[in-house]
Amino acid sequence: MRGTLPSYYNKWGTGDVSGISFDTTGIIEVCISDRAFKRMRNLRFLRIYKSRVDGNDDKVHIPNEMEFPRSLRLLHWEAYPSKSLPSRFYPEYLVELDMKYSKLEKLWDGIQPIANLKKMDLHGSVDLKELPDLSKATNLETLELSICKSLVELPPSFSNLHKLKNLGMSYCINLEVIPTKNIKIFDISETSVKDVPTSVTLWSQLEFFNVHGNEQLKTLPQLPLNITFLCLSNTAFESISCCLKGLRKLAELRLYGCRKLTLLPELPRSLRYLLAQDCESLETIFCSLDTENAHLDFTNCFKLDQQARRAIIEQQSFGYGSSCLPGSKLPTEFEHRAIGNKLTFPLSAFSSFKICLVICLHQQNEEWCDDPRVLCRRVRKGYLYPVEDLACGISRSQTKHLFIFHSDSFDEYIWLEVSKEITFKFNSKYQDFDIFECGVQILTDRTYGSNTEAYGDEEIDNNITTDDDEDDY
């Protein structure tokens, strides 16, 4: 199917048009006249895009001397077909320039008056070799350069971008030089950057810091205190020297695939998610994990020493998070226990407790589950009552792991019942793993701060009951 811009403005255009939105989905070839925008003096919004992927490789033909109207505020042209913008390009009033997946090798020559420009998106422009002088883009807030694989460095004019907050450079695999800016989002994942500027310490607005997959980066400078998200996954770090404990707003730390990492420093109490899967060299965790309500995933961290295992297991005595770590036996503090996935334990006057399950993915799984989840249900008078639905890690492991979670939300009215015991049943929500053992630790005031002697792989026989005589609801 061939297509053109609608006939009433394709040849000569019209001064009445203020916006064009042209969906090229299903159109194989698009031809645009060199006079298409000639008389559109009031055209402020131009958007050429695909609403869905239809398998067609668009062929858009534009003339070499095409001229965009001077009044444009928004230019959004996906897969722009030329190597540069027209020589007669007037971006004086442009607020947003969106050229995703373009064939651009450069934008323009010289310095343009782009003081109104707030957003520039060149995502996926794999042929882009250079950026223009942006010294006049004093109001630029967002610059998206992800997957610009031919880009090697950013221009010195970046020093003038005082309002830049969001800078995306992930998968710029040849990028080696980065600017020193005070920004909010900093993403250099899958790049070849070897050093982060020491000035990052002064980037007081920085919240999101991502260096995923950067194997050239060996050290980090001290990070600013406002960081909330830090991703160091699939990097070559052997240790993390920056003071993480001082990052009082850090909520998520991603370390998965850091196969050389041997030591984890002290963490801030603000942490909610720690993803450390496949840190196969990790042995030591500094001090105790005083991270209330955190979700900790240490799947496939088989070298954790006894102190590290103790820290991971004990930290859940303080909050409502969860932990996953290698292990085939219940720790000793889970005094009420059962073989299988159903557990009965006595009711008593307590405020909360924590659960430990020994779980393992099905060996016959051909595909890994992206979101394995545990269902916890209460068994009462032949019925199952939903209690918890929790993500449990182990999405990339076929060895036994301990999954531990803390809760006091198991139906506030059960403690008023006459019954002296209660039964819970645990299952895999998507039938992708087995549960071999389950145990409960009842928490009292004395539990917090208490120490135990065995953590995870010691054979225990006392108080174990099987569910052979129970009905399988």
Side-chain angles (χ1 to χ4, degrees):
M1 179 178 179
R2 296 176 182 270
T4 62
L5 290 175
S7 59
Y8 66 85
Y9 56 71
N10 184 46
K11 262 190 177 179
W12 297 100
T14 171
D16 296 332
V17 177
S18 61
I20 297 175
S21 183
F22 184 32
D23 185 355
T24 64
T25 303
I27 300 176
I28 298 175
E29 191 168 13
V30 179
C31 298
I32 299 178
S33 167
D34 57 350
R35 301 178 179 181
F37 306 111
K38 188 70 174 179
R39 297 178 59 190
M40 297 184 187
R41 300 183 183 89
N42 295 316
L43 187 66
R44 297 185 178 187
F45 311 100
L46 175 60
R47 184 170 181 241
I48 299 176
Y49 68 101
K50 260 192 170 186
S51 61
R52 66 179 185 276
V53 177
D54 57 8
N56 292 327
D57 186 13
D58 292 350
K59 293 183 179 179
V60 180
H61 301 283
I62 62 175
N64 292 330
E65 297 304 319
M66 184 181 67
E67 184 175 330
F68 289 108
R70 293 174 178 263
S71 57
L72 271 182
R73 267 63 167 176
L74 180 147
L75 176 56
H76 178 169
W77 194 322
E78 290 184 9
Y80 183 78
S82 295
K83 294 181 179 181
S84 67
L85 291 169
S87 57
R88 288 181 290 181
F89 179 64
Y90 309 103
E92 181 178 359
Y93 299 105
L94 202 63
V95 176
E96 183 172 327
L97 178 64
D98 190 332
M99 312 292 279
K100 295 186 184 74
Y101 309 110
S102 73
K103 298 295 183 182
L104 290 167
E105 294 182 3
K106 65 176 183 178
L107 295 176
W108 57 73
D109 294 318
I111 301 176
Q112 290 281 8
I114 47 178
N116 290 304
L117 190 63
K118 291 187 176 182
K119 179 180 180 181
M120 181 184 291
D121 191 343
L122 299 167
H123 176 100
S125 298
V126 296
D127 298 321
L128 187 68
K129 298 177 180 178
E130 62 181 82
L131 289 176
D133 190 312
L134 298 174
S135 57
K136 300 297 184 180
T138 52
N139 288 299
L140 190 65
E141 297 177 355
T142 298
L143 179 58
E144 178 54 64
L145 301 171
S146 297
I147 322 182
C148 292
K149 297 182 179 181
S150 300
L151 196 63
V152 177
E153 62 180 359
L154 302 182
S157 58
F158 261 65
S159 59
N160 292 349
L161 305 182
H162 300 298
K163 293 187 178 181
L164 188 65
K165 296 179 180 178
N166 305 323
L167 177 60
M169 297 183 291
S170 61
Y171 292 89
C172 292
I173 56 177
N174 290 305
L175 187 66
E176 297 179 355
V177 180
I178 60 176
T180 57
K181 291 308 303 172
N182 189 23
I183 58 180
K184 187 175 182 179
I185 297 176
F186 187 71
D187 188 343
I188 56 170
S189 57
E190 303 293 345
T191 68
S192 299
V193 173
K194 296 180 180 179
D195 298 293
V196 175
T198 55
S199 62
V200 69
T201 305
L202 304 176
W203 299 1
S204 60
Q205 298 182 41
L206 187 64
E207 296 179 2
F208 183 102
F209 190 96
N210 186 1
V211 297
H212 169 95
N214 187 326
E215 297 183 354
Q216 301 297 320
L217 198 61
K218 305 296 183 183
T219 59
L220 280 180
Q222 186 61 44
L223 298 174
L225 300 181
N226 282 334
I227 288 283
T228 60
F229 176 94
L230 177 59
C231 181
L232 308 177
S233 299
N234 293 324
T235 58
F237 286 99
E238 296 181 7
S239 62
I240 304 174
S241 57
C242 60
C243 182
L244 294 182
K245 184 180 179 182
L247 304 180
R248 298 186 297 271
K249 296 182 180 180
L250 184 64
E252 184 166 347
L253 174 61
R254 297 188 179 186
L255 300 171
Y256 56 83
C258 291
R259 301 185 184 278
K260 296 182 179 181
L261 186 67
T262 60
L263 182 145
L264 188 62
E266 196 166 0
L267 302 175
R269 298 189 66 182
S270 58
L271 200 66
R272 292 296 175 265
Y273 295 94
L274 171 59
L275 307 180
Q277 307 99 309
D278 300 316
C279 291
E280 56 188 34
S281 300
L282 185 61
E283 298 180 12
T284 305
I285 295 177
F286 183 83
C287 197
S288 62
L289 287 171
D290 188 13
T291 50
E292 294 184 5
N293 307 325
H295 300 271
L296 311 178
D297 193 342
F298 289 91
T299 300
N300 294 333
C301 296
F302 297 107
K303 290 189 177 181
L304 291 170
D305 60 26
Q306 196 74 354
Q307 179 273 334
R309 295 176 60 82
R310 181 183 303 118
I312 297 168
I313 294 171
E314 281 191 340
Q315 77 92 30
Q316 293 308 324
S317 295
F318 303 100
Y320 302 94
S322 63
S323 298
C324 186
L325 72 160
S328 59
K329 297 297 177 184
L330 296 173
T332 55
E333 63 263 44
F334 294 91
E335 65 272 24
H336 304 286
R337 54 181 62 210
I339 296 173
N341 67 333
K342 191 158 58 177
L343 174 66
T344 300
F345 59 97
L347 286 174
S348 61
F350 62 87
S351 60
S352 60
F353 51 86
K354 62 180 180 178
I355 304 290
C356 182
L357 307 178
V358 179
I359 59 180
C360 184
L361 284 180
H362 291 157
Q363 297 294 322
Q364 67 271 21
N365 275 3
E366 295 183 359
E367 296 183 1
W368 296 109
C369 177
D370 291 329
D371 185 28
R373 303 187 71 86
V374 167
L375 287 179
C376 175
R377 293 173 291 179
R378 180 191 171 206
V379 181
R380 184 174 182 269
K381 296 182 179 179
Y383 294 96
L384 294 172
Y385 298 90
V387 176
E388 298 276 8
D389 182 346
L390 301 167
C392 64
I394 71 158
S395 58
R396 297 292 187 273
S397 180
Q398 289 190 337
T399 60
K400 289 183 178 179
H401 277 64
L402 303 180
F403 176 59
I404 303 169
F405 59 96
H406 177 289
S407 181
D408 59 0
S409 60
F410 285 74
D411 188 347
E412 58 185 294
Y413 299 106
I414 63 176
W415 317 123
L416 302 178
E417 297 180 2
V418 178
S419 174
K420 295 182 180 181
E421 61 184 19
I422 190 169
T423 300
F424 289 108
K425 187 174 183 179
F426 310 95
N427 292 94
S428 166
K429 184 174 183 178
Y430 304 116
Q431 293 77 49
D432 45 18
F433 60 84
D434 294 313
I435 298 175
F436 293 89
E437 294 183 57
C438 50
V440 165
Q441 179 188 14
I442 296 176
L443 302 177
T444 63
D445 292 339
R446 288 177 295 178
T447 305
Y448 298 95
S450 65
N451 293 318
T452 54
E453 297 179 355
Y455 291 88
D457 278 316
E458 189 173 284
E459 192 75 44
I460 304 295
D461 293 326
N462 59 303
N463 294 325
I464 293 183
T465 60
T466 67
D467 59 353
D468 295 340
D469 298 328
E470 297 283 349
D471 294 329
D472 192 13
Y473 301 108

